[in-house]
């Protein structure tokens, strides 16, 4: 517990207001939506390109937050019932407080950095070490300038081993993270292409990452990575004990043999007659395991013991996944680890699923050993704060502490096997289920038992990528400019509530759908943001009123119909409408000659309120049509001035779509409409490379066959083998949205990361691909249809379509799985 005097001593604020020196803190927070214990929280008011923590201070005081680190003048906050500490940089202050906290603990701490593999190494290492230590670690991928101090702040005397990862994206970031983590032992994973744009070369990036180990005693690394080996040979790193591994003769643990079997890899080292058995064959997993094994050998574990523990590991997605479950429910799969910090994050995500009133938590005993009463009291508060309606507990430790869990409906089982045997007793239906378990409990079996047994072809939607794309466009806007997210056609085929909850969580202002029934579906799933119905029809006005949907009105006929309909609702005093103006698109919208009559009708009905006025650019992405676009903007300005002259209240104006946001920033007005850019597509190449891919459409191989030269494949015998071949059948076809135009080699799928051409005609439910060039292909092997490498932008051009035509064509029968970092 830190008191105000402690805080002042640590951060040396420029100025402060302390009205009560007894208001102590035990939590750090920066997101006003995610405070577990407000009265005990020190809130950091952090400014970003599109948000400002200072805006939430008064509301947080109402929630009983009593201590604030601010970047603004404390004089602005005089008279408020809280303590304020003014600094230049609230993020730096958070790091300073965490760094001071770190000084109180002397147990070993491992710091992990590098371009790839940080999180999975941390999780796997924690799984193995938790059998002998009580391990504190970064939750999920908390390795940023904010994530690291929040992770280290969780250190306490109940733990005796720490594992923290650190990620940097620019120069001069690592010094601050090093001061917070202060690792005794370092693991440097590798140096790859991530964030290369911010460094002159790989050597400069490597030197920045190595700052994490300036006061460490030991470093683990791969000697076969020449740049790393050469750099660590410099005098600046002479203080480090170098525990290296690799085939290089200078390796501390020299590999003399590496053999790949069907499902395992056998590694022999020169220093031991034992060997390491790795339960993976892919290069990335092998590299990650060798880093872990080098550290474990250094700590005194034998290769035989390490091999035994590696059997309990499995490939990790490192992401939470939302999957459809039985009985109209969803499952949030977060089974790769269990600790208090990651549990908080997962429970926050569960709370976001507002489409379900009932929330169930399936949880196991924790990995950490030697837990005490204080730990279970903290758990009890966390559970109570997240309104869990049902709790399913597996393991003897949690069962013994059942009194700490303030949930009425509770189920307890000794093992995962017992839970699976009695799963029907829990009666899961119409609810959101979070599954959170330590690795030893193998809760992935519970996920498999609960999820719908459906099509083997799945569409994975990356919610983290959507947030990245949203933030990219936010940074192009003025801070006051609102965003309307286009979520029509089931968010361009990507889904509804699960995706839209993420947008709402990140403060999207408006949602736009194409038809009334789409809006009703969102309302029934408890989406509460303002929803605009584009192309609204008069037959749906009653339903729009009932479900609080806001119609786009684009002609005089529908405007009169809405006015007539509103006469049946005397209780309504202000019904929002969105007026569309036709400035040159020549589709829907009021013509300039109709504006006067439209205004008279609006003024004649006091129940109507103009929420916004907008128009649609016809060619915002086309530089050859700039003159026409500027004419549209000018026409819109003229019409808005006419409306301003007669409407006495403010309303929103908007004209820009995804491409317009980039090419015509001067026309932001009050709001923009973000559609395909949100989902990772933009017709402007310079923007496209800044966006992240949102989707992965994947399937599996269901059969493998060998065919002879001159044999034919598929309907109408359109393909004849020119040589002996091996083909594979994939259960996806044009009924799933994989177009027939990709037949006969036009389309490709990826197997083992390599392109495999389509063979013959695509069927309704099946496609045949050529896998002759691959080794050890097996039934059940993953097939990638669309992803970053086999991107929609590239392959849609082969058949003369746009990426969003392929995206919206993906059938509803293909299950959507939502993943989040």
């Amino acid at each position: 517990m830190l008191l105000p005097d402690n805080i002042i001593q640590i951060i040396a604020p420029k100025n402060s207001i302390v009205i009560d020196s007894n208001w102590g803190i035990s939590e750090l927070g920066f997101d006003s939506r995610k405070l577990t214990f407000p009265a005990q929280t020190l809130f950091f008011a952090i400014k970003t390109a599109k948000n400002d923590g200072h805006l939430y201070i008064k509301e947080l005081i109402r929630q009983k937050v009593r201590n604030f680190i601010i970047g603004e003048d404390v004089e602005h906050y005089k008279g408020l019932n809280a303590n304020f500490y003014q600094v230049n940089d609230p993020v730096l202050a958070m790091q300073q407080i965490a760094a001071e906290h770190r000084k109180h603990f002397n147990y070993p701490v491992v710091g992990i950095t590098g371009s790839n593999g940080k999180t999975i190494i941390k999780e796997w290492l924690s799984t193995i070490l938790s059998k002998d230590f009580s391990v504190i670690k970064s939750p999920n991928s908390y390795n940023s300038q904010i994530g690291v101090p929040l992770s280290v702040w969780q250190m306490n005397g109940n733990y005796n081993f720490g594992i923290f990862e650190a990620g940097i994206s620019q120069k001069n970031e690592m010094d601050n993270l090093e001061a917070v983590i202060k690792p005794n032992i370092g693991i440097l994973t590798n140096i790859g292409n991530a964030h290369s744009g911010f460094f002159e070369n790989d050597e400069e990036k490597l030197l920045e990452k190595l700052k994490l180990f300036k006061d460490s005693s030991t470093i683990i690394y791969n000697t076969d990575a020449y740049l790393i080996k050469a750099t660590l040979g410099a005098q600046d790193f002479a203080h480090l004990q170098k525990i290296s591994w690799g085939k290089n003769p200078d390796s501390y643990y020299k590999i003399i043999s590496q053999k790949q079997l069907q499902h395992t890899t056998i590694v022999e080292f020169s220093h031991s007659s034992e060997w390491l058995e790795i339960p993976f064959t892919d290069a990335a997993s092998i590299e990650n395991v060798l880093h872990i094994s080098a550290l474990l050998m250094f700590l005194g574990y034998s290769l035989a013991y390490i091999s035994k523990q590696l059997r309990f590991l499995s490939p990790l997605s490192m992401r939470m996944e939302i999957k459809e479950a039985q009985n109209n429910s969803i499952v949030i799969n977060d089974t790769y680890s269990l600790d208090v910090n990651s549990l908080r994050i997962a429970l926050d995500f569960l709370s976001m699923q507002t489409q379900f009133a009932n929330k169930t938590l399936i949880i196991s005993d924790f990995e950490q050993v030697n837990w005490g009463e204080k730990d279970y009291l903290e758990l009890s508060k966390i559970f109570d704060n997240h309104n869990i309606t049902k709790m399913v507990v597996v393991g003897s430790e949690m069962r013994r502490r059942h009194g700490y869990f303030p949930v009425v409906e509770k189920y307890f089982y000794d093992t995962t096997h017992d839970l699976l045997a009695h799963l029907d007793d829990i009666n899961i239906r119409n609810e959101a289920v979070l599954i959170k378990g330590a690795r030893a409990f193998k809760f992935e079996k519970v996920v498999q038992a609960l999820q719908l047994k459906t099509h083997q072809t799945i569409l994975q939607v990356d919610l983290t990528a959507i947030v990245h794309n949203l933030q990219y466009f936010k940074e192009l806007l003025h801070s006051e400019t609102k965003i309307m997210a286009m979520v029509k056609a089931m968010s361009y085929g990507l889904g509804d509530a699960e995706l839209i909850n993420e947008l709402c969580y990140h403060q999207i202002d408006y949602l736009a759908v194409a038809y009334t029934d789409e809006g009703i579906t969102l309302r029934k799933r408890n989406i509460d943001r303002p929803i605009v119905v584009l192309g609204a029809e008069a037959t749906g006005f009653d339903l729009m009123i009932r479900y609080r949907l806001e119609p786009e009105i684009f002609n005089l006929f529908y405007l009169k119909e809405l006015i007539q309909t509103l006469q049946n609702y005397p209780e309504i005093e202000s019904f929002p409408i969105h007026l569309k103006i036709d400035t040159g698109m020549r589709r829907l919208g009021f013509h300039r000659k109709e504006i006067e009559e439209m205004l008279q009708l609006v003024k004649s009905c006091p129940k109507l309120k103009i929420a916004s006025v907008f128009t649609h650019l016809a060619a915002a992405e086309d530089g050859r049509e700039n003159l026409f676009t500027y004419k549209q903007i000018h026409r819109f300005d003229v019409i808005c001035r006419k409306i301003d002259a007669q409407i006495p209240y403010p309303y929103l104006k908007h004209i820009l779509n995804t491409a317009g946001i980039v090419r015509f920033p001067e026309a932001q007005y009050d709001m923009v409409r973000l559609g395909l850019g949100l989902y990772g597509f933009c017709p402007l190449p310079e923007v496209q490379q800044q966006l992240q891919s949102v989707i992965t459409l994947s399937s599996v191989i269901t059969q493998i066959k060998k065919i002879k030269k001159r044999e034919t494949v598929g309907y109408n015998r359109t393909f004849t083998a020119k040589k002996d071949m091996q083909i594979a059948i994939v259960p996806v076809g044009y009924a799933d949205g994989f177009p027939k135009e990709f037949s006969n080699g036009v389309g490709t799928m990826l197997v083992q990361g390599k392109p495999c051409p389509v063979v013959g005609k695509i069927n309704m439910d099946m496609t045949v691909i050529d896998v002759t060039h691959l080794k050890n292909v097996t039934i059940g092997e993953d097939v990638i249809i669309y992803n970053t490498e086999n991107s929609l932008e590239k392959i849609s051009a082969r058949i003369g379509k746009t990426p969003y035509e392929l995206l919206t064509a993906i059938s509803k029968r293909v299950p959507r799985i939502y993943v989040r970092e």
Side-chain angles (χ1 to χ4, degrees), residues 294-309:
L295 175 57
L296 293 172
M297 287 189 283
F298 173 69
L299 294 176
Y301 293 94
S302 70
L303 283 171
Y305 177 83
I306 296 170
S307 296
K308 181 180 178 181
Q309 298 308 313

Side-chain angles (χ1 to χ4, degrees), residues 255-301:
I255 296 173
I256 58 174
S257 172
Q258 183 172 320
K259 299 176 184 176
Q260 184 173 316
L261 305 179
Q262 187 172 4
H263 300 296
T264 60
T265 303
I266 304 298
V267 179
E268 294 182 273
F269 295 91
S270 60
H271 75 283
S272 176
S273 59
E274 298 177 338
W275 62 83
L276 183 69
E277 184 175 344
I278 301 174
F280 308 106
T281 57
D282 64 286
S285 295
I286 292 170
E287 182 180 28
N288 292 334
V289 167
L290 287 169
H291 281 304
I292 293 167
S293 300
L295 175 57
L296 293 172
M297 287 189 283
F298 173 69
L299 294 176
Y301 293 94

Side-chain angles (χ1 to χ4, degrees), residues 427-717:
N427 192 30
I428 290 174
R429 58 185 64 244
N430 301 310
E431 54 199 277
V433 183
L434 170 62
I435 302 182
K436 191 86 172 114
R439 292 302 305 159
F441 286 84
K442 298 186 181 299
F443 268 13
E444 57 269 21
K445 295 179 181 178
V446 182
V447 176
Q448 292 167 5
L450 286 176
Q451 73 183 69
L452 282 178
K453 308 301 185 288
T454 55
H455 207 339
Q456 294 181 85
T457 301
I458 61 170
L459 178 64
Q460 180 176 286
V461 181
D462 188 339
L463 299 179
T464 306
I466 286 177
V467 172
H468 166 88
N469 298 338
L470 174 62
Q471 294 301 331
Y472 171 79
F473 286 101
K474 276 187 175 184
E475 290 174 8
L476 301 178
L477 302 173
H478 304 310
S479 59
E480 67 273 13
T481 304
K482 298 180 183 297
I483 297 178
M484 178 184 290
M486 310 302 285
V487 296
K488 57 185 180 179
M490 210 171 96
S491 299
Y492 292 78
L494 300 184
D496 47 40
E498 288 77 19
L499 185 154
I500 291 168
N501 279 330
E502 192 74 20
L503 295 177
C504 293
Y505 182 74
H506 289 276
Q507 305 300 310
I508 205 76
D509 299 290
Y510 272 84
L511 302 169
V513 298
Y515 299 110
T516 304
D517 57 349
E518 293 178 330
I520 292 172
T521 298
L522 295 183
R523 286 287 185 246
K524 287 182 175 179
R525 304 200 75 183
N526 297 319
I527 302 298
D528 202 39
R529 278 288 188 276
I531 298 175
V532 178
V533 180
L534 304 173
E537 297 178 355
T539 54
F541 285 155
D542 282 297
L543 288 171
M544 288 182 219
I545 293 168
R546 190 182 313 166
Y547 285 95
R548 297 179 294 110
L549 305 175
E550 304 178 13
E552 168 196 282
I553 301 298
F554 48 83
N555 63 35
L556 295 170
F557 176 79
Y558 281 172
L559 179 56
K560 293 173 184 177
E561 288 290 311
L562 177 59
I563 291 171
Q564 185 62 41
T565 303
L566 284 170
Q567 304 313 308
N568 300 324
Y569 296 88
E571 72 280 8
I572 290 180
E573 297 180 357
S574 179
F575 185 71
I577 59 172
H578 299 260
L579 300 175
K580 186 168 189 178
I581 310 300
D582 182 2
T583 59
M585 185 75 171
R586 309 310 292 160
R587 293 193 316 189
L588 303 179
F590 289 99
H591 189 270
R592 58 185 175 82
K593 295 180 180 178
E594 298 175 305
I595 300 301
E596 187 60 38
E597 185 177 355
M598 176 267 288
L599 287 173
Q600 294 308 313
L601 284 169
V602 170
K603 291 192 294 184
S604 72
C605 180
K607 292 178 180 290
L608 285 181
K609 180 179 180 181
I610 300 174
S612 81
V613 175
F614 69 104
T615 193
H616 196 131
L617 296 179
E621 71 279 4
D622 192 342
R624 296 168 300 181
E625 297 290 350
N626 283 355
L627 181 60
F628 186 80
T629 300
Y630 283 121
K631 284 182 178 179
Q632 283 194 270
I633 295 171
H634 173 71
R635 291 167 186 161
F636 185 66
D637 277 336
V638 171
I639 291 172
C640 284
R641 284 197 293 272
K642 288 184 178 180
I643 297 173
D644 290 342
Q646 298 195 43
I647 299 299
Y649 51 81
Y651 58 88
L652 300 174
K653 303 179 180 76
H654 48 110
I655 190 171
L656 298 182
N657 57 6
T658 293
I661 292 170
V662 180
R663 299 197 66 244
F664 302 96
E666 68 276 17
Q668 288 182 24
Y669 293 100
D670 306 301
M671 185 160 64
V672 296
R673 302 187 300 276
L674 185 55
L676 282 168
L678 196 58
Y679 309 114
F681 303 104
C682 183
L684 307 175
E686 68 274 19
V687 176
Q688 182 62 55
Q689 63 186 5
Q690 301 295 326
L691 303 179
Q692 290 186 0
S693 176
V694 169
I695 70 156
T696 299
L697 181 63
S698 63
S699 193
V700 297
I701 292 173
T702 55
Q703 188 163 3
I704 298 170
K705 289 187 174 183
K706 293 186 183 296
I707 61 172
K708 297 291 186 182
K709 182 179 179 179
R710 288 190 291 275
E711 286 189 329
T712 61
V713 177
Y715 283 121
N716 302 118
R717 305 180 68 202

Side-chain angles (χ1 to χ4, degrees), residues 21 117 134 164 174 191 210 212 230-231 289 429 432 487 545 549 601 619 727 735 740 783 819:
S21 59
S134 184
F164 300 104
M174 190 60 90
I191 295 296
L210 285 172
L212 180 62
T231 303
V289 167
R429 58 185 64 244
V487 296
I545 293 168
L549 305 175
L601 284 169
I727 59 172
K740 293 180 73 174
V783 178
V819 300

